[in-house]
Amino acid sequence: LAGPFTVSDDRASDEACPVTASLAPGASITCTASYTIVQADLNTGSVTNTASASNGPVTSATDSETVNAVQSPALSIVKTATPGTYAAVGQVVSYSFLVSNSGNTTLFGPFTVADDKTSDEACPVTVLLVPGASITCTASYTATQADLDSGSVTNVASVSNGTVTSATDTETVTAVQSPALSIVITISIVYTLLSE
C-alpha cells in the first residue's frame, strides 16, 4: 500500500504518522495521538475512543480502546466556632462548617451536616460540587449549666450527600468559669424596755 498513512481518532486531534512511502504486506508503522482528560471522563469512570487508519483508497476497520478512571469521591469538613469561649447559661455558640469536595469526581447534593450537639444544621441548596468546590453550612448550640460546670463543650460533625460521607471534625469551646461565693451578714438588734 502506498502512503502517506493517516489515523482518524474520535477523541484526539493531534494524530500523527511517520512519513512512509509504502507498506509491504505484513509491514507496520506506529502512529501516535493524545487526549486530555476532562472532568466528565472522571465522573463517568472511563474514556473510550475509536480510531481507523487510511491511505486514501484503503481504510481499516475501526479499533476501540477504553481507559478506566481511578475515581476517588471524597468530602471534607472543617468546623469553626464563634465565639471560642462561653461564660453564661444561655449563651449561643455559632458553628460554621466548610464543606469541600476533596475528591476527583463531581458530587451531587443535597449535602447535610450531622452534629452530635446541635439540632439546627443547615446547608445551602446545592445541586453539585465539582472537585475543589466548597459550601458553608451552619449550626448553633446554647450553653447549659452542665457545660459551664464541665469547663468545655466538644462536638463532632460530619457531612454527607447520601453516598459519600466525610471524616468527622471535632471542635471544643472552653468555658470561662468564674466560681464565687457571696455572703450577706444580717444583724438583729433586740431592745428590751424596762419599766420603773
Side-chain angles (χ1 to χ4, degrees), residues 118-141:
T118 65
S119 59
D120 61 349
E121 303 94 327
C123 292
V125 176
T126 307
V127 176
L128 58 85
L129 283 177
V130 298
S134 61
I135 56 173
T136 299
C137 303
T138 59
S140 62
Y141 177 74

Side-chain angles (χ1 to χ4, degrees), residues 144-169:
T144 66
Q145 186 61 56
D147 299 325
L148 280 166
D149 294 343
S150 65
S152 65
V153 172
T154 298
N155 60 340
V156 181
S158 63
V159 63
S160 178
N161 71 337
T163 57
V164 178
T165 300
S166 71
T168 58
D169 187 38

Side-chain angles (χ1 to χ4, degrees), residues 4-190:
F5 300 92
T6 59
V7 167
S8 176
D9 188 294
D10 66 346
R11 292 279 188 174
S13 60
D14 61 350
E15 304 93 327
C17 294
V19 177
T20 307
S22 64
L23 281 177
S28 63
I29 57 174
T30 299
C31 302
T32 60
S34 63
Y35 173 73
T36 301
I37 296 298
V38 297
Q39 187 60 54
D41 301 325
L42 283 163
N43 294 342
T44 57
S46 65
V47 173
T48 298
N49 62 332
T50 303
S52 62
S54 178
N55 72 337
V58 179
T59 299
S60 71
T62 58
D63 186 42
S64 295
E65 184 73 14
T66 297
V67 179
N68 293 316
V70 179
Q71 294 177 311
S72 302
L75 282 168
S76 64
I77 184 170
V78 177
K79 180 166 49 175
T80 304
T82 304
T85 60
Y86 58 95
V89 172
Q91 183 173 343
V92 175
V93 178
S94 298
Y95 294 97
S96 65
F97 308 89
L98 181 64
V99 172
S100 301
N101 181 345
S102 52
N104 67 352
T105 60
T106 299
L107 298 177
F108 294 89
F111 300 90
T112 57
V113 166
D115 188 293
D116 66 344
K117 289 284 189 181
T118 65
S119 59
D120 61 349
E121 303 94 327
C123 292
V125 176
T126 307
V127 176
L128 58 85
L129 283 177
V130 298
S134 61
I135 56 173
T136 299
C137 303
T138 59
S140 62
Y141 177 74
T142 302
T144 66
Q145 186 61 56
D147 299 325
L148 280 166
D149 294 343
S150 65
S152 65
V153 172
T154 298
N155 60 340
V156 181
S158 63
V159 63
S160 178
N161 71 337
T163 57
V164 178
T165 300
S166 71
T168 58
D169 187 38
T170 301
E171 183 76 10
T172 297
V173 180
T174 304
V176 179
Q177 295 176 314
S178 302
L181 288 172
S182 63
I183 185 170
V184 177
I185 299 174
T186 302
I187 298 175
S188 297
I189 300 175
V190 177

